[in-house]
Amino acid sequence: MTYDKYKTRRYLLFSLALFINTLGIAYITKASLGTSPITSVTYVASMFTPLSMGQWTIILNLLFVLFELPLLTRQELKADLTAFLLQIPITFFFGFCIDFSMFLLSWLEPMAYASQIFNLLVGCVILAVGIALEVKADAALMVGEYFVRAIARRFRKDFGYVKLGFDSTLVVLACLMSFCFIGGLHGVR
């Protein structure tokens, strides 16, 4: 009985952490100085399509979940099935929270560079708090981390190096999308 009680608390803390993360992402994005590597593709895509950043986050993360399947062995998938399947509702919740957080901060349009830097720093602090709570909850992995872990395991590489390569690839992709579809470097900095 107590195990289930603590498990519920961990999932509630994880949900709160995800929402706090999205507030941090929204603050960082609204600072107009770029955004994090994991959201760079979705932010740039939202600039030239009718879909929002949250909707693109859902689409991209669901693609990552599909791309994980060939990377996982049957034994890994069977042993980790709950964590694998949890990525789907987490993806939808996270995407909706990004859009809600962007709505909550729709009034924020810093013009002066000092104001942009201030809002970027506020967003970084908020995001750091969310990540700390997410780690403390120890309930599930976000899709990006699960995908990187699947790649690292499959190719027997260090998680840190794979994460660096993954983030770099996303930023390069966001830059290419920006140049191809918007005609210049936008949303990445």
Side-chain angles (χ1 to χ4, degrees), residues 36-53:
S36 66
I38 194 76
T39 55
S40 61
V41 170
T42 60
Y43 180 50
V44 170
S46 73
M47 296 173 93
F48 65 88
T49 67
L51 298 179
S52 68
M53 191 167 141

Side-chain angles (χ1 to χ4, degrees), residues 62-77:
L62 288 177
L63 284 173
F64 288 151
V65 171
L66 285 177
F67 294 156
E68 288 165 5
L69 284 172
L71 297 170
L72 299 170
T73 65
R74 285 185 184 195
Q75 293 83 6
E76 288 172 333
L77 188 57

Side-chain angles (χ1 to χ4, degrees), residues 106-117:
S106 60
W107 55 270
L108 184 63
E109 295 291 334
M111 297 309 240
Y113 194 65
S115 179
Q116 290 175 317
I117 297 237

Side-chain angles (χ1 to χ4, degrees), residues 2 10 17 19 30 33 35 39 43 53-54 60 64 75 83 91 93 95 108 118-119 135 150 166:
T2 39
R10 287 187 11 237
F19 178 70
K30 296 296 277 179
L33 295 175
T35 191
T39 55
Y43 180 50
M53 191 167 141
L60 185 63
F64 288 151
Q75 293 83 6
T91 290
F93 179 73
L108 184 63
F118 173 77
N119 284 292
V135 170
F166 177 70

